[in-house]
Amino acid sequence: YALSALLFYAISPEKGASSLELTRMLFCGGVFFAATQTLGSLDVIKPTAWTWAVSAALLAVYSLLQLNGGIGPLAVPFLERPMATFGNPIFLSAYLSASACATAGLAWASEDNERKIAGGITLLCIVAMLTTLTRASIVGLGAAAIAAALFDLKGKRRLLVIIPLILGTFAFVLFF
């Protein structure tokens, strides 16, 4: 990822515009590297994941409330395409898509009631993501689901998950 940013910067005729993208991509690469070096060795992975899950659930509820302008005495801005506090539906959708992946992983790793809560948050994130009407996040979430199935599932279970996902992605591309 960082190497592609360097290559993009090197071949870009507009260095001023591409330097901002280079900075952002190098920062993201650094954050990813730091997270992989620290979170894997600390006992904070599960509390960190639950913190993310709860904040994603609250943001998803807020974005769903924006479709109606609130509920009862609770008034929030009415928007046809919710953007929560992100200022843009695309940014909200990207966050909810990533959160759906994180909470699905949390549900996969949890047991009993925690699994049900994390699964519910995953569903809530997906529903809120769909209301933003952002196609790229839907395709990205489908690609993440295919990758997860490839890495985590074995045998017939893998095929039972991957085939509908691939067909759904193909249908989605044809439809839009």
Side-chain angles (χ1 to χ4, degrees), residues 118-129:
I121 293 173
T122 302
L123 184 62
L124 183 63
C125 287
I126 291 172
V127 168
M129 181 192 72

Side-chain angles (χ1 to χ4, degrees), residues 140-163:
L141 189 60
I146 291 170
L150 283 173
F151 290 121
D152 290 337
L153 300 177
K154 305 288 183 229
K156 290 182 182 181
R157 288 185 72 193
R158 179 185 288 176
L159 289 176
L160 288 173
V161 171
I162 290 177
I163 290 173

Side-chain angles (χ1 to χ4, degrees), residues 2-158:
L3 290 176
S4 68
L6 288 171
L7 178 65
F8 174 74
Y9 179 76
I11 63 173
S12 175
E14 190 64 44
K15 298 290 188 216
S18 61
S19 67
L20 295 174
E21 187 68 16
L22 173 67
T23 303
R24 183 185 68 79
M25 292 176 82
L26 289 176
F27 176 74
C28 289
V31 168
F32 176 77
F33 178 75
T36 59
Q37 297 304 308
T38 57
L39 287 179
S41 61
L42 300 176
D43 293 329
V44 296
I45 293 175
K46 200 164 188 177
T48 302
W50 276 109
T51 301
W52 183 335
V54 170
S55 65
L58 293 173
L59 196 63
V61 167
Y62 180 66
S63 65
L64 290 173
L65 287 173
Q66 286 182 332
L67 292 172
N68 296 320
I71 187 168
L74 178 64
V76 298
F78 170 76
L79 300 168
E80 290 181 18
R81 289 181 66 197
M83 63 181 79
T85 59
F86 284 81
N88 187 325
I90 296 169
F91 299 152
L92 171 65
S93 185
Y95 173 77
L96 290 172
S97 179
S99 297
C101 292
T103 55
L106 188 60
W108 186 269
S110 299
E111 295 180 12
D112 300 329
N113 288 337
E114 283 185 354
R115 177 173 282 179
K116 292 175 186 173
I117 293 168
I121 293 173
T122 302
L123 184 62
L124 183 63
C125 287
I126 291 172
V127 168
M129 181 192 72
L130 292 174
T131 63
T132 65
L133 305 176
T134 305
R135 296 181 301 263
S137 291
I138 298 168
V139 171
L141 189 60
I146 291 170
L150 283 173
F151 290 121
D152 290 337
L153 300 177
K154 305 288 183 229
K156 290 182 182 181
R157 288 185 72 193
R158 179 185 288 176

